[in-house]
Amino acid sequence: MKGQVPIHMLDTLDSRTLGRTDCYGQRFMRPGTYAYNILTAGGHHVTDERPFTIEVQERDGEARMEQHTVAARYTDGRFIPERPEISIQEGDLVLWNCPDSALPYVVAGDREFFASDRLSNECGYSHAFGSVGEYRWTDAYGSGLGGLVRVQDPHIEEHGALQRWHELVKKGTVVMIEGERAEPREVEIVIGQTVFFAVTKTSGISITDERLLGQTIGWDENGPQERGAARS
């Protein structure tokens, strides 16, 4: 791979373990009470405690679907959301982010579809890219999904270029994922921009930099192919 650098020098692109520049979003399509916890990566295998809640009400027919952002802080050895209990309407999206912790974390819900480490239904993962390079992502759970994010240097050398870069950074890029298809498969952005991977329905996937898995992905007209793997 051109320009390959040690993995510790890269932005960590891995929805299984969230970081400062990541968000996890989940849409709640049915009324009910949903409990969850925010835990250090791997912590969901240790405890089933789910102390925080989302109360989903039936939608008012005239109300628009909304996005609710929940910021979390790492305090006294725990991740605590600023709003431990929130009330939303069915169809609304909740977005979690923890901007001040160097510890990787997961959002672990009490339902099978409600888990940041395995994206399944009506959810998403976003990552802000801070380094130039090619990020070939794949599904660590083996679905065969994959794609490519090219991050370019904006070459800010004068005031006008700086303003244009500021405008670009405000714009997010969306990759839609349904089943075994990601569209678009390749995107190009500049440093500082965010890519949001919107998952409609899958068997439960991750968005993971292939270098974290020690894989090498080749590409052909059918998309990403693990080199050396048999093709059907």
Side-chain angles (χ1 to χ4, degrees), residues 26-229:
Q26 182 66 58
R27 194 179 299 279
F28 295 87
M29 305 304 293
R30 295 182 179 178
T33 300
Y34 299 82
Y36 74 96
N37 206 345
I38 304 174
L39 300 160
T40 54
H44 55 305
H45 298 302
V46 177
T47 178
D48 58 2
E49 182 185 11
R50 302 291 183 263
F52 314 123
T53 58
I54 299 166
E55 190 70 32
V56 183
Q57 309 289 342
E58 288 189 7
R59 173 159 297 284
D60 179 339
E62 298 181 358
R64 298 178 61 182
M65 292 184 182
E66 296 183 10
Q67 175 180 306
H68 307 264
T69 300
V70 176
R73 297 285 182 267
Y74 189 72
T75 305
D76 297 327
R78 297 183 63 195
F79 288 95
I80 306 293
E82 290 182 345
R83 295 186 290 166
E85 301 176 2
I86 63 172
S87 180
I88 66 174
Q89 294 192 38
E90 58 183 317
D92 284 359
L93 176 75
V94 181
L95 195 70
W96 285 268
N97 175 251
C98 185
D100 67 347
S101 175
L103 290 174
Y105 64 96
V106 296
V107 177
D110 63 347
R111 312 291 176 93
E112 186 176 355
F113 74 90
F114 183 13
S116 65
D117 68 317
R118 195 153 192 159
L119 308 172
S120 56
N121 298 338
E122 298 295 336
C123 62
Y125 162 71
S126 71
H127 180 76
F129 290 82
S131 300
V132 170
E134 290 190 349
Y135 296 77
R136 298 182 185 271
W137 64 270
T138 187
D139 171 23
Y141 300 112
S143 71
L145 271 166
L148 173 65
V149 179
R150 291 190 180 92
V151 184
Q152 306 289 342
D153 188 332
H155 298 294
I156 301 171
E157 297 173 356
E158 45 91 20
H159 183 66
L162 179 60
Q163 288 184 317
R164 288 191 294 274
W165 177 71
H166 282 162
E167 291 303 313
L168 282 173
V169 168
K170 294 177 184 177
K171 298 177 182 179
T173 296
V174 177
V175 175
M176 299 296 300
I177 298 174
E178 183 172 7
E180 297 182 356
R181 181 175 178 82
E183 183 64 37
R185 208 164 54 198
E186 301 183 26
V187 296
E188 186 170 302
I189 61 173
V190 298
I191 290 174
Q193 278 189 281
T194 296
V195 177
F196 185 81
F197 299 87
V199 176
T200 303
K201 186 175 179 62
T202 72
S203 58
I205 66 164
S206 76
I207 309 297
T208 303
D209 190 315
E210 67 171 31
R211 289 163 287 193
L212 293 169
L213 304 176
Q215 296 180 4
T216 303
I217 303 297
W219 287 66
D220 63 15
E221 68 278 5
N222 297 314
Q225 303 284 342
E226 185 174 352
R227 288 177 185 155

